[in-house]
Amino acid sequence: MNAVVDDELWSAIGDPIRRTMIDLLLADGPGTATSLSRRLPVTRQAVSKHLAVLDRVGLIHAEPAGRERHYQVDEAQLARAVAQLSAVGSTWDARLRRIKRIAETIERTRTNDEGD
Amino acid sequence: MNAVVDDELWSAIGDPIRRTMIDLLLADGPGTATSLSRRLPVTRQAVSKHLAVLDRVGLIHAEPAGRERHYQVDEAQLARAVAQLSAVGSTWDARLRRIKRIAETIERTRTNDEGD
DNA sequence: AACCTTTCGCAACCTTTGGTTGCACTCAAC
DNA sequence: GTTGAGTGCAACCAAAGGTTGCGAAAGGTT
């Protein structure tokens, strides 16, 4: 019923560094591996690998500009990712609600029995 | 402004196997490492490690029953996790919307300039 | 033009994490 | 008490995230 979710996409946004990178790119606009690494607790090379991952799943795309590579969020793809996030969230939410309802029903029944 | 999100919690639900395990526990009720491993493409030992991770972040808890250990979703914690999911989602969503608005403003301005 | 700086990509290496197999232990059932 | 299912622990492997080191290309300076 639920999550035939893109596991690739999930694992891409599952990493805290990559999530922060997306945050930064959204907040400050396009950036390079070097510029991002200055605001993150890891080296440029590590950032570069993360950028490659995000690029591979299509969440960002690069634009060569002279000796630099400007990375930018692909809005449509990120929107799709957000949709998947909330899909899983609401699936779980629904199940939790159902469980709670059942539990309450049982509780009610038990109380009635005791009342007899 | 945003994500001082529990990275522990995120990486816990970031793993596709662990997400599926939560799905199974929610759908079928409490289960053991062995019962879960029968419905997953990994060995019992792998499942056991994942259960340990989920247990450590508090998303599930175990209940010894004879020679078995029954694992069960902690509903309150999962609800908290779902909330964090949707928090990140809506942060990105808001930023996307803001970017789109700005882009439209620029577009409008440019069009006006050309119109002059 | 020659030089220096910045940014990048590649390769080697280390550590952690997810996965496996193998083994010893416990508890229930016969 | 022996047998069988379910666990836990340890050793071992492969992939992923991270680091350092190096050489190459683009831009600025003199």
Side-chain angles (χ1 to χ4, degrees):
Chain A
M1 177 184 281
N2 77 343
V4 183
V5 209
D6 246 43
D7 278 352
E8 291 270 345
L9 213 156
W10 259 93
S11 73
I13 57 182
D15 185 284
I17 297 275
R18 289 197 280 263
R19 260 195 330 276
T20 307
M21 284 169 51
I22 292 176
D23 274 348
L24 288 174
L25 288 178
L26 281 178
D28 306 346
T32 67
T34 305
S35 74
L36 286 171
S37 72
R38 276 194 285 258
R39 314 196 47 186
L40 287 168
V42 293
T43 60
R44 173 185 63 86
Q45 283 82 348
V47 170
S48 194
K49 289 185 189 178
H50 285 302
L51 286 171
V53 172
L54 291 174
D55 197 1
R56 191 152 14 92
V57 302
L59 278 174
I60 64 177
H61 52 85
E63 198 175 336
R67 75 182 153 181
E68 301 184 347
R69 274 177 80 81
H70 289 243
Y71 288 88
Q72 185 171 354
V73 173
D74 183 317
E75 305 180 15
Q77 286 296 100
L78 183 59
R80 202 178 122 241
V82 169
Q84 295 203 352
L85 275 196
S86 69
V88 171
S90 54
T91 298
W92 286 348
D93 209 48
R95 292 214 171 131
L96 285 178
R97 245 193 284 279
R98 225 188 66 228
I99 289 169
K100 193 167 182 184
R101 209 179 53 230
I102 292 172
E104 281 166 358
T105 304
I106 293 172
E107 175 63 22
R108 201 155 32 242
T109 307
R110 204 174 54 70
T111 308
N112 284 351
D113 286 356
E114 281 172 358
D116 276 350
Chain B
M1 176 185 284
N2 76 343
V4 183
V5 209
D6 245 44
D7 277 352
E8 291 270 346
L9 213 156
W10 258 95
S11 73
I13 57 182
D15 185 284
I17 297 274
R18 289 195 281 262
R19 263 198 324 279
T20 306
M21 284 169 51
I22 292 177
D23 275 347
L24 288 174
L25 287 178
L26 281 178
D28 306 345
T32 67
T34 305
S35 74
L36 286 172
S37 71
R38 276 195 285 259
R39 316 196 45 185
L40 288 168
V42 293
T43 60
R44 173 185 64 86
Q45 284 80 350
V47 170
S48 194
K49 289 185 188 177
H50 285 302
L51 285 171
V53 172
L54 290 174
D55 197 2
R56 191 151 16 91
V57 303
L59 279 174
I60 64 177
H61 52 85
E63 199 174 335
R67 74 183 153 180
E68 301 184 348
R69 274 176 81 81
H70 289 245
Y71 288 89
Q72 185 171 354
V73 172
D74 183 318
E75 305 180 14
Q77 286 296 99
L78 183 60
R80 201 177 123 242
V82 170
Q84 295 202 353
L85 276 196
S86 69
V88 171
S90 54
T91 298
W92 286 347
D93 210 47
R95 292 214 172 132
L96 285 178
R97 246 194 284 280
R98 225 188 67 228
I99 288 169
K100 193 167 183 184
R101 209 179 56 229
I102 292 172
E104 280 166 358
T105 305
I106 292 172
E107 175 64 20
R108 200 154 35 240
T109 308
R110 205 174 55 69
T111 309
N112 284 351
D113 286 355
E114 282 172 356
D116 276 349

